[in-house]
């Protein structure tokens, strides 16, 4: 029999994180394309970000058919969107702050798209949805050190989804990212507590993953 879950954070009631989710009033709308394999992952962070952010959408799938409505919105107005993903065409987001702030001051903030999943799954989302290549793409030139040590990654300086969102909004609109990072910290501590103490030290040496 499955354990009863919280209707809000969708985690088991014994591991509910709602008390750690504080509201963040972001100005740039956040759109999270979550790979379907990530939906039930206990270590995923996208749902925490979605629940905390005032302006956010979480869309689950893999193929263009799964994201049909978003695809139509993007292709009808590609200049209104930006993808946060280190593609071959991406630019350092830190170098575009002045230009993006002008759009924000004109009340036309970019809608930011994030790919949620392991790096392999995020890359799959990128390749299966070539319509994403029609919009501006950004990567991080100087990201903070990832704190999500409970998921492995082969990507240097990889961040979890909630960390990537927090850093993007901090750079673009000077958002106080602490509510997002505190929710991540609560999830991390919860997961570490479930690991036998004899093995817990291994996770202090790991870097974060996209997830």
């Amino acid at each position: 029999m499955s354990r009863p879950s919280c209707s809000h954070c969708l985690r088991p009631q014994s591991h509910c994180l709602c008390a750690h989710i504080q509201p963040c009033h972001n100005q740039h709308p956040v759109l999270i394309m979550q790979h379907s394999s990530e939906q039930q992952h206990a270590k995923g962070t996208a749902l925490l970000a979605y629940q905390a952010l005032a302006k956010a959408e979480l869309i689950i799938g893999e193929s263009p058919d799964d994201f049909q409505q978003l695809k139509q919105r993007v292709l009808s107005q590609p200049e209104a969107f930006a993808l946060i993903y280190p593609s071959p065409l991406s630019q350092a987001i830190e170098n575009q702050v002045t230009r993006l702030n002008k759009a924000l001051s004109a009340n036309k903030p970019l809608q930011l798209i994030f790919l949620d999943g392991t790096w392999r799954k995020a890359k799959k989302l990128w390749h299966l949805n070539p319509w994403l290549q029609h919009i501006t793409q950004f990567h991080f030139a100087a990201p903070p050190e990832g704190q999500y040590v409970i998921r492995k990654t082969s990507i240097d300086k990889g961040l979890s989804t909630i960390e990537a969102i927090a850093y993007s909004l901090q750079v673009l609109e000077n958002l106080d990212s602490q509510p997002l990072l505190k929710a991540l910290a609560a999830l991390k501590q919860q997961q570490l507590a479930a690991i036998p103490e004899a093995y817990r030290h291994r996770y202090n040496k790991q870097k974060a993953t996209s997830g």
Side-chain angles (χ1 to χ4, degrees), residues 17-39:
L17 288 172
C18 290
H20 302 282
I21 301 173
Q22 302 175 24
C24 282
H25 301 286
N26 55 310
Q27 299 178 69
H28 290 80
V30 167
L31 306 165
I32 305 171
M33 293 174 58
Q34 183 180 68
H35 192 274
S36 52
S37 65
E38 197 73 11
Q39 187 177 9

Side-chain angles (χ1 to χ4, degrees), residues 57-171:
E57 293 181 50
L58 179 64
I59 309 169
I60 300 165
E62 182 181 81
S63 70
D65 288 342
D66 298 322
F67 303 106
Q68 191 61 235
Q69 292 185 358
L70 177 59
K71 175 183 175 181
Q72 292 176 357
R73 286 162 56 189
V74 168
L75 294 182
S76 67
Q77 198 176 9
E79 69 279 1
F81 296 84
L83 175 67
I84 311 299
Y85 180 76
S87 74
L89 301 176
S90 63
Q91 313 166 51
I93 195 171
E94 295 90 344
N95 297 337
Q96 303 296 320
V97 173
T98 300
R99 177 172 71 84
L100 297 177
N101 279 344
K102 288 182 179 178
L104 181 60
S105 62
N107 200 28
K108 295 181 179 180
L110 279 177
Q111 300 181 58
L112 307 177
I113 298 177
F114 295 83
L115 306 182
D116 177 62
T118 62
W119 280 106
R120 185 170 66 87
K121 295 298 185 181
K123 189 174 183 179
K124 190 172 184 179
L125 284 174
W126 163 255
H127 284 296
L128 289 178
N129 294 275
W131 52 272
L132 290 170
Q133 299 175 25
H134 292 274
I135 62 178
T136 302
Q137 298 132 50
F138 293 119
H139 64 262
F140 303 145
E145 183 176 355
Q147 299 300 310
Y148 202 22
V149 296
I150 59 177
R151 295 190 75 176
K152 297 180 181 179
T153 180
S154 58
I155 304 297
D156 186 36
K157 297 183 179 180
L159 298 178
S160 64
T161 298
I162 198 169
E163 288 174 305
I165 292 171
Y167 181 65
S168 299
L169 295 176
Q170 181 181 333
V171 168

